[in-house]
Amino acid sequence: MGTVQAMATYPGDFDGPLEPSYRPQPDGEPDAAEVVWAWVPYEEDASQGKDRPVLVLGWDGPWALGLYLTSKDHDRDHEQERRAGRVWVDVGSGGWDSKGRPSEARRNRVVRIDPATIRREGAVLDRARWDEVIAAYSQRDALLRGD
């Protein structure tokens, strides 16, 4: 991951065009399709946040871009989550969770990650799961509209 000085100000979540491609590399640097552990700012207050797993999608200048993961099962409260503006996709389990719990990725919030806050790589998503997550990511706006 290298030594990087922390960036001063979170510029906000990424909402630009993004064409993620499967590019994991065993080089110690965060690459698309890798799950890393990093500090993720809260949506309602970017000055606060939580250390959590993030599926890296790509880069925006010096910032890694990703979808954060949770082990909470949102299938049970799908409609409530959608009304709150949060949509999820099942990712399954992987080396990022020491208890082997299945995870979900929030597909409609692309967070910028300061590389200095990435503390470790957790795993590489296999190609089939990556393709499913990216397909779900590309349909995120339709789900919020209820299409």
Side-chain angles (χ1 to χ4, degrees):
M1 254 51 64
T3 304
V4 180
Q5 267 194 328
M7 293 174 206
T9 305
Y10 184 69
D13 293 345
F14 182 81
D15 62 0
L18 186 60
E19 295 181 27
S21 60
Y22 192 79
R23 295 181 187 213
Q25 299 290 322
D27 59 3
E29 298 295 325
D31 301 301
E34 295 177 352
V35 177
V36 299
W37 277 86
W39 187 85
V40 175
Y42 290 140
E43 194 168 14
E44 57 279 352
D45 180 359
S47 69
Q48 298 181 47
K50 180 178 182 180
D51 193 48
R52 57 178 39 210
V54 177
L55 173 61
V56 177
L57 300 178
W59 289 82
D60 178 36
W63 299 90
L65 302 175
L67 303 176
Y68 71 85
L69 306 182
T70 182
S71 58
K72 183 176 179 186
D73 183 4
H74 289 290
D75 290 341
R76 294 180 306 225
D77 60 355
H78 170 77
E79 283 305 311
Q80 175 185 341
E81 284 291 293
R82 188 184 61 76
R83 283 190 304 272
R86 296 180 295 265
V87 289
W88 303 87
V89 58
D90 291 330
V91 174
S93 58
W96 58 86
D97 187 286
S98 62
K99 297 178 183 173
R101 298 172 293 190
S103 296
E104 295 182 359
R106 173 138 177 225
R107 60 179 154 173
N108 67 318
R109 181 178 180 217
V110 178
V111 293
R112 286 182 170 99
I113 301 297
D114 180 343
T117 70
I118 296 174
R119 63 178 177 87
R120 72 174 174 92
E121 292 181 12
V124 172
L125 220 57
D126 67 54
R127 183 60 189 252
R129 283 200 285 175
W130 166 262
D131 290 343
E132 290 171 11
V133 170
I134 296 309
Y137 163 76
S138 64
Q139 298 170 359
R140 67 199 176 278
D141 295 331
L143 277 171
L144 284 172
R145 289 189 308 267
D147 296 355

